[in-house]
Amino acid sequence: MKTKLLILSSFVGFAFLAQAQEISNGVMRFNELRKPIYREIINIPEVNGYQVLKCDFHTHTVFSDGQVWPTIRAQEVWEEGLDATAITDHIEYHPHKKFVEVNHNRSHELIEELSKKNNVILIKGSEITRQTPPGHFNAIFIKDASSFIEDNANEKDWEAVMKAFEQDAFIFWNHPGWRPNIEGSYEWLPFIEELYKKNALHGIEVINGFGFHMKALDWCVDKGLTVMGSTDIHNLIAHDYDRSKEYVHRTMTLVMAKERTPESIREALKAGRTVAWASKYLAGKEENVKNLVNACIKLLPSHFTQENQNGTKTNFYEIQNNSDLYFELELTSGKGTQKITLYPMSSQLISAEAGQQSISYDVTNAYVRSNKFLNISFSL
Ligand SMILES: [Zn+2]
Ligand SMILES: [Zn+2]
């Protein structure tokens, strides 16, 4: 949890302060002023025996149109406590090519060693960037990014995606609603249908950065595709995300995997065990979101019963959030507390009229369809 780590880090700072400042060759070093270096821990309990891995499979560097060198990406994911990532530079778009050699595999290669050292799983990927529509596709678990087509997009759209498919890639359609003014850009086009029929489309980026592509969630649910969430970060994470807020993290995919390995991640992605997470918001298939939320929220047995003047009784309960996720609940059936905000790693008191068997809430920050919240019930 962020607060605890910040307190800890200020103790570390204090420890530095208590020591004599280092003086060497007439230079005093104010080391206590440096940013403490540590890896954040994002607390999410296991879900039905699966580890919940924090993954961002859509990022850019100067090797396409990003603003940073690949090592910055590796440092960011380490500091933020991610388990796995991929650099997915555009195959067809290289605005820095005058200064940075065009090499489709280089951004990945440059951080392979560092990622191993940092205990971050690095998956090889690239973004196949075709005109919109149909738009952009991420291919991860690829072998060689340089073998994809490098034309200017119009005619050979198909071939590029199929080349990734032939490399046994996991392919997802990126940000389908990103250019709503272009006709057909937010539609289930014949091109998409063909890929889907050939089993060459495996997921859709339902949340891209700060954009929730709501129709895409319904497509994933209806067609059995995997729900993805990612940053599509081009600048520094610190530039785009206000991480000083306790509940703000980069947008990511929570992958429910048997083990913390690339093979397990691939298996979980293929099986669709994911939830997209954008700080306060969750989006995913109902079963996955429900399992995740049930693993995080716990209602303890009633600890107090109040006798009311009208002869009724009210039970008091503690409701706990054992995770760094954030939840807002609104009563949908039963008589009890109407609205509950569960901040990361915290609990609240709730009350319910005695004699009820159960109580139900909509989780109003957790979407299981574009127009439907997750509903959860607690036995009383
Ligand atoms: Zn894109
Ligand atoms: Zn992108």
Side-chain angles (χ1 to χ4, degrees):
M1 189 179 179
K2 281 185 189 173
T3 335
K4 279 184 190 160
L5 282 166
L6 285 174
I7 293 164
L8 184 70
S9 66
S10 67
F11 277 121
V12 175
F14 181 75
F16 274 124
L17 202 63
Q19 289 164 9
Q21 277 88 2
E22 184 191 325
I23 301 177
S24 161
N25 298 325
V27 177
M28 184 181 286
R29 303 205 179 271
F30 305 132
N31 285 328
E32 79 276 15
L33 304 181
R34 288 181 190 276
K35 182 176 177 289
I37 298 169
Y38 59 84
R39 185 178 195 174
E40 197 177 295
I41 295 171
I42 302 173
N43 290 299
I44 302 178
E46 279 195 357
V47 175
N48 297 341
Y50 292 115
Q51 297 184 43
V52 180
L53 304 182
K54 297 96 196 172
C55 308
D56 182 4
F57 296 127
H58 190 172
T59 70
H60 294 277
T61 75
V62 288
F63 283 85
S64 63
D65 58 345
Q67 302 293 318
V68 307
W69 192 252
T71 48
I72 299 293
R73 292 282 169 252
Q75 287 166 5
E76 286 176 331
V77 293
W78 179 80
E79 282 190 16
E80 293 170 50
L82 269 74
D83 294 289
T85 192
I87 304 244
T88 52
D89 278 317
H90 299 286
I91 292 288
E92 305 84 346
Y93 185 44
H94 303 98
H96 310 301
K97 65 182 168 199
K98 236 174 134 182
F99 310 104
V100 182
E101 178 200 357
V102 175
N103 184 320
H104 303 301
N105 295 307
R106 188 69 79 224
S107 46
H108 175 91
E109 288 166 0
L110 281 168
I111 59 165
E112 270 185 303
E113 183 83 7
L114 178 58
S115 300
K116 278 180 196 159
K117 248 186 237 169
N118 285 353
N119 195 21
V120 172
I121 297 169
L122 181 66
I123 308 290
K124 191 162 188 171
S126 69
E127 183 167 11
I128 300 165
T129 315
R130 301 290 136 156
Q131 280 192 352
T132 302
H136 304 178
F137 298 85
N138 263 16
I140 57 173
F141 294 97
I142 58 168
K143 293 175 180 74
D144 178 10
S146 65
S147 72
F148 301 160
I149 299 291
E150 288 180 57
D151 61 22
N152 276 328
N154 289 335
E155 289 163 23
K156 294 184 177 171
D157 298 344
W158 184 261
E159 216 170 307
V161 181
M162 291 315 286
K163 282 209 167 184
F165 177 62
E166 282 159 22
Q167 290 187 17
D168 202 19
F170 178 87
I171 298 166
F172 56 99
W173 183 17
N174 290 342
H175 46 69
W178 76 307
R179 289 203 167 147
N181 297 332
I182 300 178
E183 207 186 317
S185 69
Y186 201 9
E187 301 301 327
W188 189 264
L189 299 167
F191 181 91
I192 301 291
E193 177 65 16
E194 281 303 304
L195 287 182
Y196 175 67
K197 274 197 203 147
K198 285 184 185 297
N199 206 16
L201 182 68
H202 310 118
I204 313 179
E205 196 178 46
V206 170
I207 306 182
N208 170 282
F210 305 102
F212 172 23
H213 300 265
M214 300 169 78
K215 270 207 259 188
L217 177 58
D218 295 337
W219 286 331
C220 285
V221 171
D222 294 336
K223 297 170 189 294
L225 293 168
T226 301
V227 172
M228 304 297 288
S230 34
T231 54
D232 195 4
I233 189 78
H234 287 70
N235 212 313
L236 291 168
I237 285 287
H239 184 273
D240 287 9
Y241 288 80
D242 182 4
R243 295 181 63 248
S244 65
K245 291 197 178 80
E246 195 181 22
Y247 51 78
V248 174
H249 292 277
R250 72 163 71 199
T251 299
M252 62 183 93
T253 308
L254 301 176
V255 177
M256 290 171 256
K258 286 176 192 156
E259 290 173 6
R260 193 181 182 278
T261 61
E263 298 72 34
S264 276
I265 291 172
R266 183 200 274 267
E267 186 278 328
L269 290 178
K270 279 283 175 94
R273 284 194 310 275
T274 63
V275 174
W277 181 33
S279 293
K280 277 188 171 181
Y281 301 96
L282 297 165
K285 293 175 193 161
E286 185 160 9
E287 185 192 359
N288 292 325
V289 183
K290 188 169 241 166
N291 289 341
L292 177 67
V293 173
N294 282 336
C296 297
I297 299 181
K298 197 173 162 190
L299 187 74
L300 301 188
S302 174
H303 58 270
F304 178 66
T305 300
Q306 179 179 285
E307 310 267 349
N308 301 317
Q309 282 183 342
N310 63 3
T312 60
K313 290 179 182 176
T314 304
N315 289 333
F316 283 81
Y317 302 83
E318 193 167 328
I319 184 168
Q320 293 181 337
N321 174 13
N322 302 304
S323 76
D324 282 339
L325 303 179
Y326 170 97
F327 300 106
E328 287 178 352
L329 311 184
E330 265 185 52
L331 187 72
T332 53
S333 76
K335 288 182 181 169
T337 304
Q338 291 287 324
K339 283 191 177 191
I340 306 160
T341 301
L342 279 172
Y343 294 94
M345 297 299 286
S346 70
S347 74
Q348 294 282 7
L349 287 176
I350 67 164
S351 61
E353 197 175 293
Q356 302 175 82
Q357 294 299 305
S358 66
I359 196 166
S360 301
Y361 285 91
D362 264 349
V363 185
T364 58
N365 63 311
Y367 290 85
V368 295
R369 288 195 77 94
S370 61
N371 57 359
K372 190 181 171 199
F373 298 125
L374 175 73
N375 191 267
I376 51 169
S377 284
F378 299 103
S379 303
L380 297 175

